[in-house]
Amino acid sequence: QAYGDVPVRLTGPGGIRVAGDGAVILNGDNDFSGGVKIESGAMIIQSPNALGTGPVEVVGGALILERPALDDESVLRISEGLNEGAIRLEFTGEDVLRAVLIGDEAHLCGTLGSAESEATAPHPAFAGPGVLRVGRPGFPCMEESELSGASWQQSTDEPVHSSRPRRAAAPPPSSWRVPIAAPSGWHAPLLPPQ
């Protein structure tokens, strides 16, 4: 979130819930882990780490990525019936993430984007030239059978390779989980999950 021209760094286990009219602009070097949920309004992303490290869920409103900013290990969940073009990928190139869920349909491999992009799987929820690459380059595609309730599991300690800059962090543990459903406790911005 920006106050004037100064980026604000958001950190900790909490998440962000966007509801109401207007837009929230995130342009800081964030590492909050509670995720983002957009119910209405718009969230405009202007920096590569603006969305933190958690899952992103869009149930209404709009998500506008001016540059690649989804965490390589995150999951993007999009409600079925979201307005056409509600996910605007206004960058050129690719943004890498682990999985995309559109309604009950899991996209675990390949590229997604708008019909005007170079994505192999265009979807009307997307607009703009950018592409979402699902799955990490050099790794086999995740199988749908690997989805288990609210999470999936990948066992590896291989580094993540991405075109977007990454903040310094400890290497991932040999076994990690990524939520694919919105965590509970998204009642107000930056409150820890309940």
Side-chain angles (χ1 to χ4, degrees):
Q1 189 169 7
Y3 294 93
D5 291 331
V6 180
V8 174
R9 183 164 190 256
L10 304 174
T11 187
I16 297 174
R17 176 180 162 250
V18 178
D21 297 335
V24 174
I25 299 171
L26 292 180
N27 60 4
D29 183 21
N30 302 323
D31 64 2
F32 64 93
S33 60
V36 170
K37 184 175 186 177
I38 303 169
E39 296 176 353
S40 60
M43 179 171 274
I44 301 168
I45 305 304
Q46 296 179 335
S47 66
N49 296 315
L51 289 168
T53 61
V56 176
E57 182 176 17
V58 184
V59 296
L63 174 62
I64 303 161
L65 296 172
E66 293 183 354
R67 62 181 304 146
L70 292 159
D71 189 78
D72 295 346
E73 298 167 6
S74 72
V75 173
L76 174 63
R77 182 179 201 103
I78 301 169
S79 289
E80 190 68 44
L82 191 65
N83 289 338
E84 286 191 25
I87 311 291
R88 293 184 8 214
L89 307 175
E90 296 183 351
F91 55 87
T92 56
E94 296 181 345
D95 196 353
V96 177
L97 71 163
R98 196 61 182 134
V100 175
L101 300 169
I102 302 174
D104 292 332
E105 184 180 347
H107 296 268
L108 308 171
C109 196
T111 59
L112 286 101
S114 71
E116 70 184 86
S117 73
E118 295 182 11
T120 57
H123 191 279
F126 298 102
V131 171
L132 298 180
R133 173 160 303 279
V134 181
R136 299 184 319 191
F139 286 83
C141 294
M142 191 171 73
E143 298 293 326
E144 192 156 350
S145 63
E146 294 178 72
L147 292 173
S148 169
S151 65
W152 57 267
Q153 186 148 356
Q154 168 73 33
S155 295
T156 181
D157 54 9
E158 294 285 331
V160 173
H161 299 286
S162 171
S163 59
R164 85 178 172 105
R166 302 292 299 175
R167 63 186 148 275
S174 61
S175 177
W176 42 270
R177 292 185 171 268
V178 175
I180 61 171
S184 62
W186 278 353
H187 302 293
L190 301 177
L191 290 178
Q194 297 175 354

